[in-house]
Amino acid sequence: MGRGDLTNAEWDRLESFLPPGGARGGRWSDHRRVINGVLYRVRTGVQWRDLPERFGPWETVYKRHRHWSADGTWTMLLSRIQAAEDAAGQIDWDVSVDSTAVRAHQHAAGARKAPVVAARQKGIGGDEPGRSGVEETDGPAGGSGQIGECLGRSRGGFTTKIHLAADGRCRPLALVLTPGHYGDGPQLERVLEQVSVSRIGVGRPRTRPDHVLADKAYTSRKNRRYLRRRGIRHTIPERLDQQRHRKNRGSRGGRPTGFDSEQYKKRNAVERAINRLKGFRAVATRYEKRAYIYLGTVTLAALAIWLRT
């Protein structure tokens, strides 16, 4: 077992959720070896062609990653692990929200401007068409152009922004990609809508945190109304200009927002979660042209964090 590979305990947690594979002449080559190959690339950021031979053909590793990013397999695995942690009472539902900008490598530019035709129409795709239990496609619908591929222009070049919600133990609960120039505040509702931890057995997925913590970028009235409508307690500081406008309006300005400075100290959990994610070099720098493949890379990094925390 190499450095960064799945341990036996980690593999045991994942194996039952994957389609049958590994048998001689089977549809899939060994899942564990391929996943270790993807993890190696996500951790080190090497080019796919430079993967060590112990992971098998690099094309197999890349195509499996692309396919599982498109059909939601990485997201499904993350959801299953989160469900198991929640059933064991290991999730701290004081959730922090923030974002981080990621520099896009020059190789990330130049994706096709039109969505790729489904593989079932072209007869090509991942390892083998239609063998994961879902329809095989080269990529999900959407994309097209810089904005569609979550690439934003800045002085330093192309950037992508990762918006995330993290639990109190510094583990990502939800992930959203946008172009790098998008603001944080307008994405709060979208990020929290992605929080959905399934129950083991009967019951609806849990979608409502006990408490939400965020910085001043999320202090808009729209966000506060959204949180109150869902019955979510929150700690978000008010900007100085908002305080000034409220005071200038006198009694019409309304009451000041509540703020618990001690509770707010827990917001560092999302900063630490971002630090863990960016420990994976293929997350800290975006190399993928297609946004859905990069989201799969970030999701796999989050899965590794959950398995190892």
Side-chain angles (χ1 to χ4, degrees):
M1 185 178 72
R3 176 172 174 263
D5 288 356
L6 293 172
T7 65
N8 291 334
E10 292 166 356
W11 172 244
D12 289 341
R13 298 183 70 184
L14 296 178
E15 185 177 14
S16 61
F17 305 131
L18 296 171
R24 185 178 180 85
R27 294 178 173 180
W28 298 96
S29 59
D30 181 51
H31 285 313
R32 185 172 183 177
R33 183 178 68 173
V34 172
I35 293 175
N36 284 334
V38 181
L39 280 172
Y40 180 89
R41 189 265 173 177
V42 172
R43 181 171 60 85
T44 62
V46 300
Q47 294 187 12
W48 289 104
R49 293 176 182 269
D50 295 332
L51 282 176
E53 293 182 359
R54 66 187 178 92
F55 300 119
W58 72 267
E59 297 96 332
T60 299
V61 181
Y62 165 70
K63 288 179 180 179
R64 191 80 56 85
H65 177 54
R66 184 187 69 184
H67 176 55
W68 284 0
S69 297
D71 69 11
T73 298
W74 295 131
T75 302
M76 177 272 294
L77 293 175
L78 178 60
S79 177
R80 297 292 180 89
I81 297 302
Q82 289 175 344
E85 290 289 297
D86 189 43
Q90 296 300 312
I91 295 182
D92 183 344
W93 283 96
D94 285 348
V95 172
S96 303
V97 180
D98 206 351
S99 73
T100 182
V102 174
R103 176 69 182 273
H105 194 271
Q106 61 183 358
H107 294 165
R112 298 185 185 185
K113 294 186 178 180
V116 181
V117 179
R120 59 183 172 84
Q121 298 174 348
K122 299 180 65 178
I124 60 174
D127 292 21
E128 292 292 340
R131 289 185 174 177
S132 68
V134 297
E135 186 179 54
E136 172 74 29
T137 61
D138 271 343
S144 175
Q146 295 177 10
I147 299 300
E149 298 299 345
C150 297
L151 291 172
R153 281 285 188 180
S154 66
R155 291 184 178 180
F158 283 125
T159 54
T160 295
K161 188 171 282 188
I162 304 173
H163 304 262
L164 71 155
D167 79 334
R169 298 183 63 187
C170 313
R171 299 173 297 185
L173 279 170
L175 299 162
V176 170
L177 296 186
T178 66
H181 61 279
Y182 278 31
D184 292 354
Q187 306 303 322
L188 176 68
E189 182 174 345
R190 187 178 170 195
V191 171
L192 292 181
E193 292 295 331
Q194 295 293 320
V195 176
S196 180
V197 177
S198 301
R199 311 281 187 177
I200 294 181
V202 180
R204 297 179 179 179
R206 176 161 183 177
T207 60
R208 188 170 65 179
D210 291 334
H211 203 105
V212 166
L213 302 102
D215 61 21
K216 293 180 180 180
Y218 299 89
T219 189
S220 68
R221 292 183 179 180
K222 179 181 177 181
N223 286 340
R224 294 183 187 275
R225 284 197 300 266
Y226 167 75
L227 293 168
R228 285 195 295 268
R229 185 171 68 250
R230 291 192 59 189
I232 300 174
R233 294 181 294 118
H234 53 277
T235 300
I236 304 175
E238 192 177 29
R239 294 199 308 265
L240 292 178
D241 62 324
Q242 290 180 323
Q243 296 178 14
R244 184 168 59 253
H245 293 329
R246 176 173 46 79
K247 291 178 180 178
N248 289 341
R249 296 189 61 179
S251 60
R252 294 177 300 169
R255 295 179 298 176
T257 59
F259 179 74
D260 186 341
S261 59
E262 287 299 317
Q263 181 74 25
Y264 188 68
K265 292 179 180 179
K266 293 188 67 176
R267 198 193 68 84
N268 72 83
V270 70
E271 304 287 356
R272 291 154 65 190
I274 290 171
N275 188 47
R276 288 179 176 179
L277 279 175
K278 286 196 167 181
F280 295 85
R281 293 194 173 190
V283 174
T285 301
R286 173 179 170 176
Y287 299 101
E288 289 83 0
K289 295 179 185 297
R290 299 301 305 275
Y292 77 91
I293 301 180
Y294 181 62
L295 181 59
T297 297
V298 181
T299 302
L300 178 57
L303 174 61
I305 291 172
W306 278 86
L307 287 172
R308 295 165 181 173
T309 303

